[in-house]
Amino acid sequence: MEDRVRVVIAEDSVLLREGLTRLLTDRGHDVVAGVGDGEALIKTITELDGQGALPDVVVADVRMPPTHTDEGVRAAVQLRKSHPGLGVLVLSQYVEERYATELLAGSSHGVGYLLKDRVAEVREFVDAVVRVAQGGTALDPEVVAQLLGRSRRQDVLAGLTPREREVLGLMAEGRTNSAIARQLVVSDGAVEKHVSNIFLKLGLSQSDGDHRRVLAVLTYLNS
């Protein structure tokens, strides 16, 4: 039996919202609120936080009213910034690379991105909710595959030195280069050199831009 977690669900489909609530409550978890749009989600979390009753995790649809484009993921990204300790698990009909990248751009702790098909696999879905609530990561295999843009199965980290693996591990925790330097008691320049070497060895070119850090972390998590 998983540890009991407190959940807020953001899904505009009443049927799906009630279904998710039933899945979680049947497993012994507390669904403390259910809302139908991104604005209501942010308002609810703000109110709960003000009451000292912040939930452990939010489960949110990527697309919600009024435009059904990116309201859900925008709210999720905003909540991750304003409430760093809040787990956020987003659900999507299919892989939307831009949204997944933005969600993962900060710390990889307490974040998840699953395709809605996974909800049918009840145990896997509930495990993902609990894992994210406890600060872990839950990424759909299809999301990882698409973001990495490769299907190779060998250990892509094999070419990294022990120090580079250590730096990449700290990157996966959401640490900045300065924070990594303090942790390892080295200079910022040394960390920047390690990060550049990591990008080079993982085949992440300059054309990947700011996404290189996200892609490197995903490689680490998938390995």
Side-chain angles (χ1 to χ4, degrees):
M1 188 69 181
E2 305 92 350
D3 292 333
R4 193 183 191 97
V5 298
R6 301 175 70 254
V7 188
V8 169
I9 298 175
E11 167 60 58
D12 63 296
S13 167
V14 176
L15 183 62
L16 181 53
R17 188 165 70 236
E18 292 300 320
L20 293 175
T21 299
R22 180 65 181 272
L23 287 180
L24 292 167
T25 54
D26 282 353
R27 291 277 181 168
H29 303 296
D30 297 324
V31 176
V32 297
V35 298
D37 61 71
E39 184 177 341
L41 173 59
I42 293 174
K43 180 180 179 181
T44 297
I45 294 300
T46 301
E47 291 176 348
L48 289 172
D49 190 24
Q51 299 165 9
L54 191 69
D56 300 302
V57 61
V58 165
V59 178
D61 191 358
V62 166
R63 298 173 181 266
M64 289 195 291
T67 67
H68 291 279
T69 53
D70 61 358
E71 284 83 358
V73 74
R74 291 294 177 194
V77 170
Q78 182 175 331
L79 289 173
R80 277 178 61 74
K81 293 178 180 178
S82 60
H83 300 81
L86 176 66
V88 174
L89 173 62
V90 300
L91 303 177
S92 181
Q93 196 67 41
Y94 49 88
V95 179
E96 299 179 87
E97 183 174 339
R98 178 168 64 90
Y99 299 152
T101 300
E102 185 170 2
L103 185 68
L104 294 164
S107 170
S108 59
H109 282 193
V111 63
Y113 190 116
L114 296 181
L115 297 183
K116 286 188 174 180
D117 289 347
R118 301 294 174 192
V119 177
E121 301 170 24
V122 177
R123 180 70 188 189
E124 182 176 337
F125 168 70
V126 176
D127 284 349
V129 172
V130 174
R131 189 159 64 252
V132 171
Q134 296 175 342
T137 304
L139 297 178
D140 195 289
E142 291 187 33
V143 173
V144 174
Q146 183 161 320
L147 290 179
L148 291 178
R150 57 176 68 91
S151 59
R152 54 184 177 173
R153 294 179 178 275
Q154 68 268 30
D155 184 1
V156 294
L157 305 183
L160 301 184
T161 66
R163 176 62 91 181
E164 288 164 354
R165 282 176 175 263
E166 191 173 10
V167 169
L168 183 53
L170 292 170
M171 287 167 61
E173 294 179 8
R175 309 284 187 94
T176 63
N177 284 3
S178 295
I180 293 173
R182 290 193 297 271
Q183 175 74 20
L184 300 180
V185 195
V186 298
S187 68
D188 287 1
V191 173
E192 290 174 5
K193 182 176 180 181
H194 287 313
V195 172
S196 294
N197 287 339
I198 290 169
F199 291 156
L200 179 64
K201 292 179 179 181
L202 296 184
L204 300 173
S205 66
Q206 290 283 354
S207 62
D208 290 311
D210 293 337
H211 293 173
R212 288 194 298 173
R213 199 174 186 91
V214 175
L215 295 175
V217 168
L218 284 171
T219 302
Y220 176 81
L221 294 173
N222 197 41
S223 300

